[in-house]
Amino acid sequence: MASITLNGVTLAYDDIVPPGGAQRTVLLLHGFASNRAEGWKRTGWYTAFERRGTRVIALDQRGHGESEKSHDPAAYGRQNLAADALALLDHLGVGRCDVFGYSMGTRTAMQLALDAPDRVSNLVLGGVGGKLFDPPRPGAAEAMAQAMGTDDPETIENDFLKSFRHFADEQGEDRQALAASSAAVSPPLDRAALGRLPMPVLVVAGAWDDLAGDPAELAAVFPHGKGKTLPGCDHFSAIPHGSLKAAVFDFLDGIPDEDDFPPFE
């Protein structure tokens, strides 16, 4: 493990260069209550990218994994997370790379692309879709913070919140840091600004992902967006699934799928 203090926060990260050198570089941004080891290494992404000759840079976003864990909501927010990722790329001397975010990591990835579009070759947004622009449900952030803060997870009545709490416990995450992260305030993503991003964008989510909505709906926001739905996958099972890897690698390689071709007549 490597770590460095950037923007006043100590961040843990991996920087893996395949034997023989790298043909390209990807930055991986994990989801809420996850970390780089759970979100990317255990699920086979490190190995898959290494086999393709890709340099992998993955950090534990602040409040997660082995990175610094503040209990102050003001330490978090999408713009802070994106600034951390960009500062890490600067530290490692990476000028331009592919950026792949999943779930919460997609918001970090989009903010990074908005802040520094010249640094992103291709943008991959996983576990997200048309629901991104839905108005937040009243009290949702507070409910997640309470779910992370309660001593007894069995008192959590909402199955969705309980699943995230159990996941956080399985990872040994700092629940108070996650509660603070949940309570952080970020401005809404600017749909018009996203619509001016110049890079190719893949939006991909499982067909059973109730959190995401339709990937094609979000992909339509981007000038060069493509939506992809993965049959048989939900929000959690999509991450390690071979169909997600195939979709991402075909996109990065510029390989069209059958949806890109006109119907045969």
Side-chain angles (χ1 to χ4, degrees):
M1 181 199 78
S3 65
I4 188 170
T5 299
L6 300 168
N7 301 322
V9 177
T10 301
L11 301 171
Y13 68 93
D14 291 322
D15 179 11
I16 304 169
V17 180
Q23 300 175 12
R24 66 197 305 165
T25 299
V26 64
L27 172 68
L28 302 177
L29 299 165
H30 64 76
F32 179 73
S34 188
N35 52 69
R36 71 192 196 283
E38 169 63 23
W40 304 114
K41 184 177 182 179
R42 187 190 68 79
T43 54
W45 286 97
Y46 279 18
T47 300
F49 275 114
E50 181 180 5
R51 287 174 177 168
R52 294 169 54 84
T54 299
R55 177 184 180 184
V56 170
I57 299 170
L59 76 158
D60 287 339
Q61 300 193 76
R62 58 172 71 187
H64 294 75
E66 297 173 297
S67 288
E68 190 169 326
K69 301 175 179 65
S70 172
H71 294 175
D72 181 1
Y76 299 97
R78 188 179 64 249
Q79 291 172 313
N80 286 341
L81 299 180
D84 290 343
L86 191 57
L88 180 60
L89 293 180
D90 290 342
H91 167 70
L92 297 175
V94 176
R96 186 177 175 88
C97 66
D98 300 322
V99 177
F100 179 8
Y102 196 88
S103 194
M104 180 190 78
T106 64
R107 290 157 174 78
T108 307
M110 281 185 274
Q111 189 64 53
L112 190 157
L114 289 169
D115 292 342
D118 59 320
R119 305 291 293 276
V120 182
S121 300
N122 296 280
L123 183 61
V124 180
L125 308 174
V128 70
K131 290 185 178 181
L132 178 75
F133 294 110
D134 286 356
R137 290 181 292 106
E142 293 82 358
M144 179 63 81
Q146 290 173 4
M148 289 298 158
T150 185
D151 290 331
D152 183 3
E154 296 310 312
T155 63
I156 303 171
E157 297 180 358
N158 183 282
D159 289 339
F160 165 73
L161 297 175
K162 184 180 288 188
S163 68
F164 266 97
R165 168 56 189 273
H166 283 310
F167 182 66
D169 288 343
E170 289 168 0
Q171 303 311 309
E173 293 290 341
D174 183 327
R175 295 187 288 103
Q176 297 305 321
L178 295 179
S181 176
S182 299
V185 177
S186 296
L189 281 161
D190 188 333
R191 183 192 292 260
L194 291 173
R196 295 189 292 270
L197 289 177
M199 74 287 296
V201 180
L202 173 67
V203 184
V204 56
W208 299 343
D209 189 341
D210 294 333
L211 294 178
D214 185 359
E217 185 178 339
L218 176 57
V221 171
F222 303 99
H224 308 289
K226 174 181 175 61
K228 181 77 175 178
T229 298
L230 306 177
C233 293
D234 61 22
H235 192 72
F236 294 101
S237 65
I239 303 172
H241 205 281
S243 63
L244 179 58
K245 292 182 175 69
V248 170
F249 293 144
D250 283 353
F251 169 73
L252 294 177
D253 290 342
I255 299 174
D257 60 30
E258 60 185 14
D259 295 333
D260 297 318
F261 295 101
F264 177 79
E265 295 180 359

